[in-house]
Amino acid sequence: MGASIMRATFRAFHYVCYSLVALCVALAGQLAAQQSPLEEIVVTARKMDESIQEAPITVNAMTEAQLDDAGVTQTADYIQLIPNVTLAESQTIGTSFLTVRGLSRVRNGELPVAVVVDGVLTVNPRQYIGQVFDVEQIEVVKGPQGALYGRNAANGAIIVTTKAPSFEPEGHIKLSYGTKDEVGVQGSYSGPLADNLAFRLSGRMVQRDGYFTNITIDEDVDPYHDRTLRGRLTYTPEETLAIDFKGEVSKHDGKAIGFHWPGIALFGVPIPELGVTGEQVMSEGANLTGIPYVANNPDRGTRDMLSFSVKIDKSFDFADFKSVTTYDELEASSTVDAAPYFSGFDDGTQHSYVDVEGWSQELRLTSNSDSRIGWQVGAYYLSWERQRTTVTGIDKGQGIKRSVTVPEFDDSTNPTGVAPGNFLAFLEDSYAWAVFGSIDWQITDPLTLTLAGRYDKETREQNVNPYNTAGRVYTTADASGVNQPYGAAACEDGGIANVNCGAYDTWTELLANTRPGSDANKKEFSKFQPKVTLGYLVTDELNVYASWGIGYRAGQFNYPGVGIISTTANEAIEQEENNTFEVGAKWDNGSIRLNAALFTSKVDNTQYFPFDGLAFVQVFEDVDEAELDGFEVEAAWRATDNLDIYAAYGLTNAEITAYQERPATVGNDLPYVPDSTFNAGARIEYPVGNGLTWFARVDYERRGKQY
């Protein structure tokens, strides 16, 4: 980012903070004695319990009561209340585009943050989107958190704490009804099974008709049916030992990947059902909403998840020991027309499939003395296996058959195409390990210094499916002795002797004349992630802090052979590295809180997802270098004992500074990143007698320009 933009950002940050501080100070003297204080929130973002206002870190937290007040029932509901954090949901339930301070998750990629649920690190990004219920607290931490949370915590962490089993019987049930016959049911029950054994069972189910209708087959395009069941068991055989068992199962049925593309009209293709022209596309662009759905096949997606974890906490005289063991399964599938803006049978079909199975183990030892120096050391191991398949087929009007590891052959009612991008499949065996540690030193009563570091290493091995069509080579070499890649390009210099080169029409021809270019690919990623934090408690009301840290997100493979058939993509993308400096201040006089933070980051190899229309494949790319800077300001005011008001503003400048594959984009904004976010709201609550309370809340969100 140029110096002038940085200076402008700092000036804006200064003026906004100064104005808000002046307003708060003026109000504080008049109102502090009149109202009860705002609720104090204890956070665990640094893996220790501390007041959110005293923690030298930028973190937003919502308690159980606040989540309930805001009507939070799914992931997007709380994300939209956090400045400089946005979420776009598209395609199947597991495909989400989370953006935190300029870093985003891209399609098929990893999240830019670590997601930790009840102390358990989530393995797969497709697990993140879901129902929110029976939750005690959610924390959203910003900035690199790799030193504490490891892989993929490139720009933050999201920490979810569900309600623990209770030794006092308790339970609840909630019912809801909404537009398009949406019915929601959620509930929980907890109680003791023995003097040292307690359980909790909770769940949520939501079912809704679609908002849109496919006019060709007269069916809902986007129905939504999600159900999740969670069980926890807490066993405390002795005062210094606690064992927590948790299991969760979730099933989802809904829409898949049926995008609309009005831009097809730019090619002069007559599609009267869509009702748009090339001139409209040029003049209205993304404002062309309300286009009818006309695909002749239903657009459907599913996701099934299963997870188990065991946590063991043991206290010794000098330290607390924690062991976390997890096991996860996820299967997601989607089927839809290849070109859902056509209603005929000749437009093709597409099917996408993901199957992930993994387990992890973390061991951690944390000091528990009252000395001025605290410490933490630990180790982590993760192993997972992932099957991914994307298929483009021929639509004969007889539905779409799933092809996972073996394509549908020529005589099928739904045969798979044989062009280089038609059947892409691999099985990935991967593992990662890490060692970490931190030291917290209270230099003086108001001054603290934290040094943390973690070394992560990740190995990914991609085993190529023998039917994978991209990256295949002809079994007969050309005149120079080279086995050319399968495709029409091999014919440019006269072809290959005795071979009908080019794109074959049948699997019989393809398998007889080509073979996979490779059987397996292997790549390693590693990074030491340090973090230094300095906090200073200026007064009982004012806390200031500064930090510097590095976070990283591992690279990953494209589909095998994509680097050959795509003009811009490589076989794999490099690991992303985020180097960030941040300063912040937190002020709290009881009834008014004002928090502000300023950050600047340099990011290497930030991830980007384009669809390569020429090769007709999904690809990963990495933007060589980008610079991010911005700020956040948040204010909360308890105006009266019955009225709370809040506001927050975030600004992110995200600029591409180097991009070898696409040099013309240097100087452009990074995609997916809103340049600003604004949140404001208020809640009011009055007791009306006989145990009843009248309550109302309003929230407003605005996002700035986003590419």
Side-chain angles (χ1 to χ4, degrees):
M1 188 63 61
S4 60
I5 296 179
M6 280 295 298
R7 286 194 295 270
T9 302
F10 273 90
R11 283 197 300 270
F13 175 80
H14 171 79
Y15 291 138
V16 171
C17 290
Y18 180 83
S19 301
L20 283 174
V21 169
L23 174 62
C24 290
V25 170
L27 291 170
Q30 303 175 38
L31 300 173
Q34 302 175 20
Q35 288 84 48
S36 58
L38 290 161
E39 177 185 4
E40 181 180 7
I41 299 177
V42 176
V43 295
T44 60
R46 298 198 304 148
K47 296 192 175 180
M48 63 177 71
D49 294 341
E50 55 189 339
S51 166
I52 191 171
Q53 289 303 110
E54 295 179 0
I57 193 171
T58 303
V59 53
N60 298 92
M62 298 185 70
T63 64
E64 178 187 8
Q66 291 171 333
L67 292 167
D68 191 53
D69 283 355
V72 173
T73 59
Q74 55 188 357
T75 306
D77 292 340
Y78 71 83
I79 288 297
Q80 66 185 5
L81 301 172
I82 310 298
N84 270 341
V85 180
T86 58
L87 179 68
E89 296 180 76
S90 185
Q91 306 172 27
T92 54
I93 184 68
T95 306
S96 59
F97 306 89
L98 178 71
T99 300
V100 180
R101 284 184 172 179
L103 293 189
S104 302
R105 186 214 172 186
V106 300
R107 184 173 170 184
N108 301 327
E110 303 283 357
L111 290 166
V113 300
V115 178
V116 183
V117 182
D118 294 326
V120 176
L121 185 64
T122 298
V123 174
N124 192 293
R126 292 176 182 266
Q127 295 172 270
Y128 174 55
I129 295 296
Q131 303 300 312
V132 178
F133 61 95
D134 211 31
V135 170
E136 185 174 305
Q137 185 162 294
I138 297 177
E139 303 170 33
V140 180
V141 194
K142 300 167 190 170
Q145 303 300 322
L148 289 177
Y149 296 101
R151 61 187 299 272
N152 301 330
N155 215 13
I158 295 176
I159 304 159
V160 180
T161 305
T162 66
K163 297 197 70 174
S166 169
F167 283 92
E168 293 293 331
E170 63 175 36
H172 81 279
I173 187 168
K174 291 183 179 179
L175 305 175
S176 64
Y177 181 80
T179 305
K180 295 298 178 181
D181 291 328
E182 178 180 304
V183 177
V185 181
Q186 91 174 49
S188 69
Y189 185 78
S190 182
L193 295 174
D195 291 342
N196 55 9
L197 185 65
F199 80 97
R200 189 174 196 92
L201 187 65
S202 56
R204 177 171 169 81
M205 185 278 290
V206 179
Q207 183 166 328
R208 181 187 67 224
D209 296 336
Y211 291 113
F212 305 100
T213 301
N214 183 316
I215 63 176
T216 299
I217 58 177
D218 194 27
E219 288 187 12
D220 290 339
V221 173
D222 57 332
Y224 187 94
H225 188 192
D226 196 272
R227 50 270 195 219
T228 303
L229 182 67
R230 179 192 309 137
R232 287 185 67 178
L233 197 65
T234 299
Y235 177 50
T236 53
E238 57 186 68
E239 186 177 347
T240 60
L241 177 63
I243 304 174
D244 187 297
F245 303 89
K246 187 176 82 168
E248 184 168 300
V249 60
S250 178
K251 296 182 72 67
H252 177 88
D253 302 284
K255 76 176 297 294
I257 53 176
F259 283 125
H260 268 20
W261 184 40
I264 188 71
L266 294 174
F267 294 90
V269 179
I271 311 177
E273 297 108 322
L274 295 187
V276 296
T277 64
E279 290 78 10
Q280 285 179 288
V281 174
M282 293 298 293
S283 62
E284 300 182 46
N287 292 322
L288 281 172
T289 59
I291 297 173
Y293 290 82
V294 298
N296 60 282
N297 284 301
D299 174 17
R300 292 293 181 263
T302 63
R303 181 187 66 177
D304 296 333
M305 298 188 297
L306 178 68
S307 64
F308 295 99
S309 67
V310 180
K311 289 192 301 177
I312 301 174
D313 289 280
K314 172 67 176 176
S315 293
F316 299 97
D317 292 338
F318 70 101
D320 295 328
F321 171 78
K322 180 184 287 289
S323 168
V324 181
T325 307
T326 69
Y327 174 79
D328 293 276
E329 290 181 3
L330 180 144
E331 183 180 30
S333 177
S334 61
T335 56
V336 69
D337 270 9
Y341 30 83
F342 290 104
S343 60
F345 292 156
D346 59 351
D347 58 333
T349 64
Q350 57 178 309
H351 169 230
S352 178
Y353 178 81
V354 177
D355 187 8
V356 184
E357 179 180 345
W359 72 274
S360 69
Q361 176 67 57
E362 180 177 328
L363 302 174
R364 190 191 318 155
L365 198 63
T366 305
S367 64
N368 58 14
S369 68
D370 294 329
S371 68
R372 287 185 175 271
I373 296 180
W375 52 267
Q376 181 181 124
V377 294
Y380 177 78
Y381 180 82
L382 167 66
S383 176
W384 75 99
E385 184 178 88
R386 179 175 63 156
Q387 168 75 49
R388 273 192 61 196
T389 306
T390 296
V391 182
T392 305
I394 300 170
D395 187 0
K396 294 185 176 181
Q398 301 178 37
I400 303 175
K401 295 179 67 175
R402 298 197 326 170
S403 303
V404 176
T405 58
V406 178
E408 293 295 321
F409 289 100
D410 310 333
D411 57 353
S412 170
T413 59
N414 180 206
T416 302
V418 296
N422 284 159
F423 187 82
L424 306 175
F426 65 84
L427 179 66
E428 187 176 82
D429 286 316
S430 304
Y431 63 89
W433 60 268
V435 291
F436 56 87
S438 64
I439 296 176
D440 294 283
W441 178 22
Q442 189 174 8
I443 302 173
T444 65
D445 287 343
L447 182 64
T448 59
L449 173 67
T450 301
L451 303 175
R454 176 168 172 144
Y455 178 79
D456 280 82
K457 186 171 183 178
E458 186 166 318
T459 301
R460 297 197 178 204
E461 183 170 343
Q462 184 188 62
N463 300 295
V464 182
N465 186 292
Y467 297 107
N468 191 79
T469 53
R472 300 183 74 89
V473 296
Y474 294 100
T475 51
T476 303
D478 62 13
S480 63
V482 175
N483 293 87
Q484 293 287 347
Y486 163 54
C491 299
E492 290 179 356
D493 297 324
I496 304 170
N498 303 318
V499 174
N500 177 23
C501 62
Y504 293 112
D505 294 325
T506 67
W507 278 96
T508 302
E509 292 178 298
L510 180 73
L511 297 178
N513 293 288
T514 66
R515 59 174 172 79
S518 63
D519 295 324
N521 302 302
K522 186 175 181 180
K523 197 168 180 64
E524 293 184 344
F525 307 96
S526 63
K527 186 66 180 176
F528 175 68
Q529 301 169 85
K531 185 158 189 179
V532 181
T533 304
L534 194 65
Y536 186 72
L537 193 61
V538 180
T539 68
D540 290 340
E541 297 179 345
L542 179 61
N543 176 30
V544 297
Y545 59 92
S547 67
W548 167 81
I550 294 177
Y552 112 110
R553 183 164 34 169
Q556 63 184 85
F557 287 105
N558 272 301
Y559 276 111
V562 163
I564 295 175
I565 64 175
S566 172
T567 57
T568 57
N570 298 313
E571 288 298 315
I573 58 173
E574 299 300 321
Q575 65 190 41
E576 178 184 86
E577 299 180 7
N578 178 23
N579 189 322
T580 296
F581 177 75
E582 177 176 354
V583 294
K586 299 180 179 182
W587 182 77
D588 186 342
N589 81 326
S591 62
I592 296 178
R593 286 179 186 163
L594 175 65
N595 296 341
L598 174 69
F599 63 90
T600 180
S601 304
K602 180 181 178 182
V603 186
D604 294 330
N605 304 316
T606 187
Q607 298 179 3
Y608 173 54
F609 174 92
F611 181 81
D612 190 327
L614 296 178
F616 206 75
V617 291
Q618 306 171 16
V619 300
F620 284 117
E621 295 182 18
D622 42 41
V623 178
D624 297 327
E625 186 178 285
E627 292 187 2
L628 319 173
D629 60 64
F631 65 86
E632 294 141 22
V633 179
E634 306 169 64
W637 175 29
R638 175 147 292 174
T640 72
D641 287 342
N642 309 102
L643 176 62
D644 289 340
I645 300 172
Y646 81 91
Y649 180 78
L651 174 71
T652 300
N653 294 305
E655 181 181 327
I656 297 171
T657 53
Y659 197 173
Q660 181 177 353
E661 286 80 12
R662 303 174 187 270
T665 66
V666 173
N668 290 355
D669 291 346
L670 272 177
Y672 320 124
V673 183
D675 59 14
S676 63
T677 62
F678 176 71
N679 304 85
R683 68 181 297 279
I684 188 167
E685 183 175 354
Y686 277 103
V688 294
N690 298 321
L692 298 177
T693 300
W694 182 84
F695 168 82
R697 176 174 175 130
V698 59
D699 293 288
Y700 174 81
E701 179 200 15
R702 180 180 175 83
R703 301 182 191 181
K705 183 173 58 178
Q706 175 180 353
Y707 291 97

